[in-house]
Amino acid sequence: MHVVSLAPGADLAGFRAAARRLIAANAPPETVVWQTEAPSLFGTDTALAEAPPLALPRAVTEMITMVVPHRDPERYGLLYALIWRVVQGERALMEVASDPLVHRLHRMRKAIGRDLHKMHAFLRFRRMPGKGPERFVAWFEPDHHILGAAAPFFVDRFRGLTWSILTPEGSVHWNGALTFGPPGRREDVPEGDGFEAGWRDYYESTFNPARLNLDAMRAEMPRKYWRNMPETAAIPALVRAASARAQAMIEKEPTMPVKRDPVRAVAKMAQDEPDSLEALNAVIARSEPLVPGATQAVLGEGPVGARIAFVGEQPGDQEDRQGRPFVGPAGQLLSRALEEAGIDRREAYLTNAVKHFKFTLRGKRRIHEKPTAGEVSHYRWWLDRELDFVGPKLVVALGATAVLALTGKQIPITRARGPADFHKGFEGFITVHPSYLLRLPDEEAKAMAYQAFVEDLRRANALAA
């Protein structure tokens, strides 16, 4: 008889290590006792030696990861039985949905999926009072041991905040790094904060009395979660008034939509369109970033009527802080290359396809994140109008994002490097972005790439002349 002791909760690492040792010892499932909390009458088996990893089908490893957090005390025994049968030759066992073991594990997996969905949907953070750094705390009571599995979702969604999630079994904390701690108490979470009144008003304004379905509401949002959700305080009153509000909606006389004069609307749009580079820059400066986080919009820099306009990808960390294009490490490299190519930076126009800095926060560092095609398209109108006002003889695209903004196509730089035709009739030239040179690990390769970049700038200068 083999007795395996695992940590309380979801001990995935412990189970994997124990399963490897048991398979190496050729131990059938009926000879193994799994314990997590109470000590076993048989003691603990420490005679099993370490063993190499098992080669299991992907469907099996995914099932193990999902089912280990289940609260059923038999979960480890069921999962080991699955591993044993697969190792003994039933490699396609997961495809047999009618098998009792597979069927039961699938039901347990679905239970974990529902519990994760409830935690993602019904957990509410509240701001901790005090004068210190801003911090948010939430209380949740999951049905299963899902705290570790749920934490990455909240890291991705609230990466820029400092927060803690407390549960009766443990806690998780984020402040640039994820840490786990002891259980918390409901009393450690504030009863409310200033944000909740506005959230309740929003919920009430979107509540549709004509589509009230109490059974569906209780099935999707069980009452056990209500006390942690501020909007649920308004539900009883909304339900009581639903019938009268729905009847009033039916009896209300329909109103015809207001017709707009398309000629006047087009004339108004033309009137509001900026008529100079200064007016355009004022519009850009007032606009909120498409992806929140940037300090400010970074405008183009250089004279109207410049012979050459250089278009990069987006501002970096230093550009965002200083509000000027190409002032960071890549910008300094570009300045040196321009000088070697015989181009006076002060007489050129420098801008970016995207006007706001997009980044991922890692601790206190802001790591550059490449803009998506949708974000490039969002800023494209501004870039077009900007180049119209500057009127350069040649537009140089620095990197793939600039090429996408100027052509509307994803074109590999290695294939298109050199003269090009951009939309709206601009004569163009395609080359690499200077940040590409900074990322090259080999010094010899970096030197060769830099010389090729300078040669590209010389060719562009000759075209512009």
Side-chain angles (χ1 to χ4, degrees):
M1 181 69 68
H2 301 278
V3 180
V4 180
S5 294
L6 299 177
D11 189 0
L12 179 60
F15 172 74
R16 285 172 170 167
R20 290 196 299 264
R21 293 195 298 267
L22 290 167
I23 292 297
N26 201 30
E30 59 270 18
T31 66
V32 182
V33 175
W34 300 88
Q35 63 179 21
T36 54
E37 297 175 4
S40 171
L41 297 175
F42 303 100
T44 301
D45 189 350
T46 59
L48 294 175
E50 292 296 326
L54 299 172
L56 298 173
R58 182 175 178 179
V60 175
T61 59
E62 290 178 350
M63 180 65 76
I64 293 170
T65 302
M66 283 297 294
V67 172
V68 161
H70 203 281
R71 195 173 291 277
D72 191 330
E74 297 182 16
R75 63 192 184 278
Y76 292 122
L78 295 171
L79 290 171
Y80 182 65
L82 174 69
I83 295 173
W84 175 263
R85 290 176 59 182
V86 170
V87 170
Q88 294 301 311
E90 298 182 63
R91 301 291 294 181
L93 178 59
M94 288 298 299
E95 300 176 13
V96 186
S98 60
D99 184 274
L101 174 62
V102 175
H103 177 70
R104 184 174 177 183
L105 289 173
H106 272 299
R107 292 183 60 186
M108 295 170 72
R109 177 176 183 163
K110 288 181 180 179
I112 295 297
R114 287 193 297 269
D115 207 24
L116 286 169
H117 168 71
K118 303 299 184 190
M119 187 168 183
H120 295 165
F122 302 143
L123 183 141
R124 297 290 184 269
F125 284 104
R126 292 183 169 98
R127 188 182 186 278
M128 290 294 289
K131 297 182 179 179
E134 192 174 49
R135 179 169 171 261
F136 297 85
V137 182
W139 170 259
F140 196 77
E141 300 174 41
D143 292 333
H144 301 281
H145 311 295
I146 61 169
L147 185 61
F153 170 86
F154 295 101
V155 171
D156 290 340
R157 177 158 290 191
F158 305 110
R159 188 177 297 275
L161 302 179
T162 299
W163 50 260
S164 298
I165 298 175
L166 310 182
T167 76
E169 292 187 352
S171 57
V172 61
H173 312 275
W174 172 259
N175 186 16
L178 198 63
T179 57
F180 292 86
R185 300 179 306 160
R186 177 67 181 82
E187 296 76 21
D188 296 332
V189 179
E191 288 299 323
D193 59 18
F195 175 76
E196 292 190 355
W199 174 248
R200 264 196 314 272
D201 291 343
Y202 170 77
Y203 183 81
E204 292 175 7
S205 68
T206 58
F207 184 85
N208 187 348
R211 302 186 66 182
L212 178 64
N213 186 326
L214 292 176
D215 291 336
M217 180 184 292
R218 282 189 288 263
E220 177 60 27
M221 188 167 60
R223 291 191 69 93
K224 65 173 285 189
Y225 302 109
W226 283 28
R227 63 175 179 169
N228 300 322
M229 301 169 63
E231 63 267 34
T232 55
I235 289 180
L238 291 172
V239 171
R240 286 194 298 270
S243 179
R245 287 181 61 194
Q247 187 61 34
M249 291 169 62
I250 294 172
E251 296 174 356
K252 187 176 180 180
E253 217 174 281
T255 57
M256 296 299 293
V258 178
K259 292 185 177 180
R260 295 188 63 191
D261 184 347
V263 176
R264 292 179 60 188
V266 171
K268 183 66 168 59
M269 290 172 61
Q271 180 182 348
D272 292 342
E273 187 171 320
D275 57 1
S276 67
L277 183 59
E278 291 75 14
L280 176 68
N281 283 339
V283 173
I284 297 174
R286 290 195 305 267
S287 301
E288 292 292 325
L290 181 61
V291 179
T295 305
Q296 59 188 316
V298 178
L299 309 175
E301 187 174 272
V304 172
R307 288 189 308 113
I308 306 180
F310 293 91
V311 179
E313 179 191 81
Q314 69 166 354
D317 179 75
Q318 289 302 313
E319 287 80 2
D320 177 68
R321 298 181 191 278
Q322 299 183 38
R324 295 183 58 206
F326 292 98
V327 293
Q332 296 169 17
L333 185 64
L334 175 62
S335 295
R336 179 158 64 93
L338 288 173
E339 184 177 357
E340 291 187 28
I343 301 173
D344 189 340
R345 173 170 171 156
R346 294 168 299 179
E347 296 180 359
Y349 189 83
L350 285 79
T351 190
N352 283 293
V354 173
K355 307 303 182 185
H356 292 95
F357 180 36
K358 178 184 177 184
F359 60 89
T360 299
L361 195 63
R362 294 182 186 170
K364 295 184 178 180
R365 294 183 61 202
R366 303 193 301 174
I367 306 301
H368 165 276
E369 190 173 339
K370 185 177 180 179
T372 65
E375 291 157 6
V376 173
S377 177
H378 172 81
Y379 289 92
R380 192 178 187 186
W381 182 85
W382 284 348
L383 178 63
D384 288 347
R385 298 296 293 123
E386 184 179 17
L387 294 177
D388 284 341
F389 287 127
V390 175
K393 293 183 177 180
L394 182 74
V395 178
V396 178
L398 301 173
T401 299
V403 173
L404 174 62
L406 292 165
T407 66
K409 302 175 183 178
Q410 298 275 9
I411 301 176
I413 300 300
T414 53
R415 180 164 60 86
R417 194 166 182 171
D421 292 323
F422 296 150
H423 70 286
K424 300 195 70 173
F426 286 117
E427 186 176 355
F429 193 94
I430 296 174
T431 186
V432 298
H433 194 283
S435 62
Y436 160 76
L437 307 177
L438 295 175
R439 293 193 298 269
L440 293 174
D442 182 75
E443 290 301 323
E444 183 178 351
K446 184 179 295 186
M448 293 177 61
Y450 175 76
Q451 290 303 320
F453 179 56
V454 171
E455 183 57 33
D456 281 350
L457 297 182
R458 288 196 182 103
R459 292 175 62 197
N461 192 30
L463 286 173

